Amino acid sequence: MNKISTAILFFSKKVSPTIPIKYHILFWIGYFLFNVLRWGSYFGDYLYSIKSNLVEFPIHILLVYINVYLLIPKFVLKKKYWSYIASLFLMLALVYLIRTGLNYLLITKEIWPEADSTGKFLEINHVIAVLLGELYVVGFVSAIKLLIDWSIEKKRNEKLAKLQLSTELKFLRTQIQPHFFFNTLNNLYALTLAKSDNAPQLVIKISEMMQYILYEVKSSKTSLLEEINHINNFVDISRLRFGDSIESNLDITGDIEDVEVPPLLFISFIENCFKHGLNGNDKVKINISFERVSADYLEFRLSNNFNPNLNANQSEKKGIGIINTKRRLGLLFSSDFILETTIIENTYNLFLKIPVR
C-alpha cells in the first residue's frame, strides 16, 4: 500500500507543474468515451468495446506518462535518441505481453477478435497492430502535452523578456542626468555663496525636475507636453547657470495633446547642446522643434552651434547620454525609428522620428 501511495504521489508531482490534474482526468475520461463509442459502433458490440477499453486504457495511461515524464526528459532532451528508441520498444514489447494476456484472461479467449481471421499469439500482424495502436496513443497524447508545454514556456519567456526590457529601461533611465544635477548643485552652491537672487529660482526649477524624474515618471509612456515642460525647465536651469549665454527657441507643429512618448527620451540630446556648445564667452544657440507629421509618427529636430575645439577628443570623452538614448531607442522601437546627426558649418543637427501609435 505504501508503494502505491508513493507512486501516486510521484506522478501527481510530475503531472501538476504545467497542467492541473483535473484536466488530465477530464482528458482521459473523454478519450475513453470516444474510444468506446468509436469501436463499439465499428464492430456493433458496445459491451466488448467497454470491457476491452477498461483493460487497455490503464496500460495506455501508464505508457504515456512514462514516456512523457521519464523517457523524454532522460533520453530525448539529453540527445540520447537510440537509448530512447530502445527503451520505448522494450516497453512496447512488455505492453504487448501484458495487454494480450489480460485480454485473454478477462475479456475473450480469442487473441485477435477484431481481425477477419483468427489471430495467434506473437503472430507478426497481431504484434504490429498492437504496437501501432500503442504508438498512436503515445504519439497523440505526447504531442498534445508537448504542445501545451511549448505554449506555456513561450508565454513565460515572453514575460521574462518584457520584464528584462522593463528592468533595463528603468536602469537606463536612472543613468540619464546625475552629472547634470551634480553640476547644477555646484552652481547653486556658488550662487548661494554670492547671495545671488537667482538661487531661489534655481532651487525651484531643480525641485520641479527632480519631482518629475523621481515621482511622476513611473510608466513606459508619458505625455509629450510633460516632456516639453521638463525640457523647458532644463533650459531655464541652464539659463540661470550661464546667464545670457543661452539663446533657445522651441517650435511645436501639429496636434500633440494626446501624444505619449518614452519619458526622458529627448533630454540627453538637449543636454549635449550645452556640453559641446559652451566655450568661454560664446553663446549657445539652440533650436528645438516637435512636429506630428501623421497619426503614427512624431519628428523631433534639434540644432545648436557646435564648437570643434570642445570636441577634438570627443571619442575619448563621450558620455553615456547619447549611447544610453540610442540603446533605449533600439529596445523600444527595434528598427522602427530614424536617428540622424550631421555637422554643417559648426552647427550640430539632429533628426529623430519615432512612432507614437
Side-chain angles (χ1 to χ4, degrees):
M1 188 67 182
N2 289 335
K3 290 182 179 181
I4 295 174
S5 300
T6 303
I8 292 173
L9 180 62
F10 169 79
F11 277 106
S12 67
K13 287 182 178 179
K14 286 287 186 181
V15 170
S16 60
T18 56
I19 306 173
I21 296 293
K22 63 179 181 180
Y23 294 117
H24 287 258
I25 295 172
L26 289 173
F27 171 80
W28 286 113
I29 290 174
Y31 195 9
F32 175 82
L33 293 175
F34 170 77
N35 242 29
V36 167
L37 294 174
R38 175 191 174 197
W39 292 111
S41 174
Y42 186 81
F43 294 111
D45 189 345
Y46 287 98
L47 181 60
Y48 169 75
S49 181
I50 292 173
K51 290 179 180 179
S52 61
N53 276 291
L54 282 173
V55 168
E56 295 170 5
F57 252 76
I59 299 172
H60 294 333
I61 294 171
L62 185 62
L63 183 60
V64 164
Y65 285 130
I66 290 176
N67 178 65
V68 170
Y69 294 108
L70 183 61
L71 297 186
I72 290 179
K74 187 174 182 179
F75 297 119
V76 176
L77 298 183
K78 296 180 180 179
K79 298 183 179 180
K80 298 178 180 179
Y81 302 119
W82 287 112
S83 298
Y84 171 74
I85 292 172
S87 300
L88 182 60
F89 274 93
L90 281 174
M91 277 206 315
L92 288 172
L94 184 61
V95 164
Y96 173 81
L97 297 176
I98 295 173
R99 175 176 161 177
T100 304
L102 289 175
N103 274 325
Y104 182 82
L105 293 174
L106 301 176
I107 308 300
T108 176
K109 300 302 180 183
E110 296 183 45
I111 296 298
W112 196 6
E114 295 90 349
D116 294 333
S117 58
T118 303
K120 295 181 180 179
F121 181 65
L122 293 180
E123 184 181 54
I124 187 64
N125 288 335
H126 182 241
V127 172
I128 291 174
V130 172
L131 295 187
L132 286 178
E134 293 299 333
L135 282 173
Y136 167 78
V137 176
V138 169
F140 173 63
V141 179
S142 298
I144 293 175
K145 174 64 169 62
L146 293 175
L147 181 62
I148 293 173
D149 283 351
W150 173 82
S151 177
I152 292 172
E153 185 67 15
K154 183 173 180 289
K155 290 180 179 178
R156 189 179 73 87
N157 288 335
E158 287 174 352
K159 289 181 179 178
L160 286 175
K162 289 180 180 178
L163 178 61
Q164 182 179 0
L165 174 61
S166 175
T167 303
E168 185 168 358
L169 286 173
K170 288 179 180 178
F171 172 71
L172 290 173
R173 278 163 51 185
T174 63
Q175 293 182 306
I176 289 176
Q177 294 182 29
H179 56 290
F180 169 78
F181 280 120
F182 281 123
N183 290 338
T184 305
L185 288 173
N186 286 332
N187 282 101
L188 176 60
Y189 176 69
L191 290 175
T192 55
L193 288 179
K195 298 183 179 180
S196 170
D197 293 337
N198 290 332
Q201 297 180 50
L202 189 59
V203 170
I204 293 173
K205 292 294 181 181
I206 293 175
S207 175
E208 290 177 356
M209 287 193 69
M210 294 188 70
Q211 180 177 350
Y212 178 72
I213 294 174
L214 298 177
Y215 300 109
E216 296 180 15
V217 178
K218 293 183 179 180
S219 64
S220 61
K221 291 291 184 68
T222 188
S223 166
L224 177 57
L225 293 175
E226 291 289 338
E227 279 293 294
I228 291 174
N229 184 59
H230 178 59
I231 290 172
N232 284 330
N233 275 336
F234 186 98
V235 173
D236 288 342
I237 287 175
S238 300
R239 189 175 285 111
L240 288 170
R241 289 172 60 191
F242 303 113
D244 296 333
S245 299
I246 309 298
E247 290 184 9
S248 64
N249 181 57
L250 175 65
D251 291 324
I252 299 173
T253 305
D255 183 10
I256 65 166
E257 289 188 2
D258 62 338
V259 173
E260 292 189 334
V261 295
L264 309 176
L265 182 65
F266 309 102
I267 200 68
S268 293
F269 301 127
I270 307 296
E271 185 178 354
N272 243 30
C273 297
F274 301 100
K275 179 180 178 183
H276 301 304
L278 284 169
N279 183 22
N281 296 323
D282 291 347
K283 287 190 175 183
V284 177
K285 299 178 182 179
I286 305 171
N287 292 302
I288 306 167
S289 72
F290 292 92
E291 181 178 0
R292 187 171 186 176
V293 292
S294 67
D296 297 331
Y297 287 93
L298 173 74
E299 292 183 355
F300 169 72
R301 287 179 171 83
L302 174 66
S303 66
N304 65 279
N305 56 315
F306 179 81
N307 192 322
N309 297 325
L310 289 179
N311 294 273
N313 299 318
Q314 184 179 0
S315 59
E316 298 177 4
K317 299 180 180 179
K318 193 171 183 179
I320 62 172
I322 300 300
I323 297 174
N324 181 316
T325 305
K326 287 181 178 179
R327 173 65 176 161
R328 288 185 69 199
L329 288 168
L331 289 171
L332 290 165
F333 306 120
S334 185
S335 60
D336 190 20
F337 73 94
I338 299 173
L339 177 61
E340 298 173 346
T341 59
T342 58
I343 299 173
I344 302 174
E345 297 181 354
N346 292 345
T347 298
Y348 178 86
N349 301 282
L350 180 141
F351 172 76
L352 174 64
K353 183 177 182 178
I354 60 172
V356 290
R357 289 184 292 273

